[in-house]
Amino acid sequence: MTYKVAVVGATGAVGRELLRILAERDFPASEVAALASPRSAGQKVSFGDKKILTIHNLESFDFTGWDIALFSPGAAISALHAPRAAAAGCIVIDNTSHFRMEPDVPLVVPEVNPEALRKARRNIIANPNCSTAQLVLALKPLHDLFRIQRVVVSTYQAVSGAGKEGMDELFAQTKGSFVGDAPRISQFTKQIAFNVIPHIDKFMPDGATKEEWKMAVETRKILDPDIRLTATCVRVPVFIGHSEAVNIEFENKIDLKAAREALRAAPGIILRDEREDGGYVTPIECVGEDATYISRLRIDETVENGLALWCVSDNLRKGAALNAVQIAETLISMGLVKQDQQPHAQPVKSSH
């Protein structure tokens, strides 16, 4: 059986990655619509190696008869159009922050909490923040073994988390530095080339940034409401790939061998932890990869039952587009999405 799929925000970095991953994974789509703002309507976007889709105007698009919509257009646009798609009977999987903490909208990482998909009563499912997605993948098998009490995480987040414009700014500043140009700053609060910025999203009254708040509340919603988490989120001059240094305090005594075995067996994770030069994974090595990589696993002696680890992942894939497509695949495997009755053999085409 096959499904009619709409990709909203198809001209953005995550939207293009959604189209790429749908094609790579041979998603059972009979028809794919690429949607964006009115100013992008009529443009072309690639779908796989051989297909080209025409961008359609989101504002006038009728979602009636469409099965799944993958949204990544920005929170304000999702707030307006995702309920419209859901009301038309289309299941919305939203990459933005708008619906994540609404109690009747599941927040899902399929390897961690797939059963939450059964609670999508509004026809809307939220994708977590990119830094949260890779973190809960690492935490889940360890929480099942030892029960997490507290997490301290410092992130090193790529500029692609701010979209194509963020990547363009890093490139322009880096290039300009070699010819003496003054850095032009628009996407970030300070120069990002050859620098790190301890500020992602807006500041909140308690001094945390919203990105740091998201990591705490989203981890509790996905994994366990009793987990205490504090984060420091830092933007670094890396194009793609988020990194995290994580310290975890558990309720029960740690067995390092059991922790290693649990991480090796966990879906979506590759453990590469060799205590030698280069025996760990860096962000440049995870680009284009589906897995979240865990390295530097060791006992943290500063707290009782403590463990420290290093975690990297392609933020455009598992942190966004891949997770959204996996949610769609999981909905199908659980029988939670209606089926378009066209045979899978029919080629994918753009909607007109």
Side-chain angles (χ1 to χ4, degrees):
M1 310 304 293
T2 55
Y3 305 85
K4 295 177 67 175
V5 180
V7 175
V8 180
T11 56
V14 174
R16 290 176 186 274
E17 196 69 18
L18 281 165
L19 290 167
R20 185 178 298 116
I21 290 172
L22 287 168
E24 284 176 2
R25 294 172 75 90
D26 194 25
F27 189 87
S30 61
E31 193 169 352
V32 175
L35 311 179
S37 66
R39 68 178 180 274
S40 297
Q43 294 180 15
K44 305 294 183 181
V45 66
S46 296
F47 179 69
D49 294 331
K50 298 179 180 179
K51 299 180 180 69
I52 301 294
L53 305 182
T54 300
I55 300 292
H56 297 274
N57 183 355
L58 168 63
E59 294 182 2
S60 59
F61 188 80
D62 184 359
F63 286 94
T64 303
W66 291 81
D67 303 305
I68 298 169
L70 305 173
F71 268 67
S72 190
I77 297 173
S78 281
L80 182 63
H81 292 285
R84 184 170 69 83
C90 182
I91 295 179
V92 171
I93 302 168
D94 183 46
N95 270 292
T96 78
S97 62
H98 184 76
F99 298 99
R100 288 177 188 157
M101 297 314 298
E102 296 192 10
D104 54 353
V105 174
L107 182 65
V108 176
V109 175
E111 300 93 333
V112 177
N113 63 333
E115 286 303 313
L117 292 172
R118 299 189 186 280
K119 301 175 183 178
R121 297 179 182 89
R122 289 171 56 184
N123 257 12
I124 299 174
I125 298 154
N127 217 34
N129 189 38
C130 47
S131 50
T132 303
Q134 69 187 74
L135 179 65
V136 296
L137 270 179
L139 295 182
K140 166 66 173 172
L142 299 173
H143 185 55
D144 288 347
L145 273 180
F146 308 120
R147 304 303 298 173
I148 294 171
Q149 292 184 322
R150 180 172 183 259
V151 179
V152 179
V153 55
S154 298
T155 72
Y156 309 81
Q157 294 181 225
V159 294
S160 52
K164 180 180 180 297
E165 295 81 6
M167 291 189 283
D168 289 344
E169 185 156 314
L170 173 58
F171 179 81
Q173 288 181 4
T174 303
K175 182 179 177 182
S177 69
F178 292 105
V179 294
D181 289 346
R184 294 183 179 180
I185 298 169
S186 63
Q187 298 302 309
F188 306 108
T189 55
K190 298 199 177 190
Q191 175 180 324
I192 185 60
F194 309 103
N195 198 17
V196 299
I197 304 172
H199 176 195
I200 301 176
D201 213 324
K202 65 182 180 181
F203 275 97
M204 303 182 72
D206 65 354
T209 65
K210 193 172 182 182
E211 185 83 358
E212 293 157 355
W213 172 82
K214 288 175 193 173
M215 290 195 73
V217 296
E218 291 177 15
T219 296
R220 288 195 286 268
K221 182 172 180 178
I222 294 168
L223 195 56
D224 188 327
D226 293 328
I227 291 175
R228 293 173 294 155
L229 186 148
T230 181
T232 300
C233 294
V234 182
R235 189 73 73 190
V236 297
V238 169
F239 284 103
I240 297 173
H242 286 357
S243 305
E244 298 173 349
V246 189
N247 291 72
I248 314 165
E249 187 175 352
F250 296 92
E251 180 179 325
N252 301 311
K253 185 175 176 60
I254 299 297
D255 181 323
L256 191 57
K257 181 180 179 182
R260 290 180 183 278
E261 290 174 352
L263 288 167
R264 283 197 184 97
I269 287 176
I270 293 178
L271 178 67
R272 184 184 172 193
D273 184 25
E274 302 156 13
R275 296 179 176 181
E276 59 186 39
D277 293 352
Y280 41 81
V281 180
T282 58
I284 201 168
E285 297 165 274
C286 75
V287 176
E289 298 290 327
D290 290 348
T292 292
Y293 291 87
I294 307 297
S295 306
R296 301 292 320 281
L297 191 67
R298 61 206 187 275
I299 297 295
D300 177 359
E301 300 285 2
T302 66
V303 294
E304 189 175 3
N305 306 323
L307 193 68
L309 59 85
W310 173 253
C311 172
V312 300
S313 190
D314 183 327
N315 56 295
L316 296 180
R317 291 182 73 88
K318 187 55 186 174
L322 174 64
N323 197 72
V325 173
Q326 287 177 316
I327 289 173
E329 292 170 342
T330 305
L331 284 167
I332 291 169
S333 69
M334 294 173 70
L336 298 177
V337 57
K338 67 182 179 66
Q339 296 172 327
D340 175 20
Q341 300 300 313
Q342 302 179 58
H344 184 30
Q346 181 173 334
V348 174
K349 58 185 179 181
S350 63
S351 173
H352 294 284

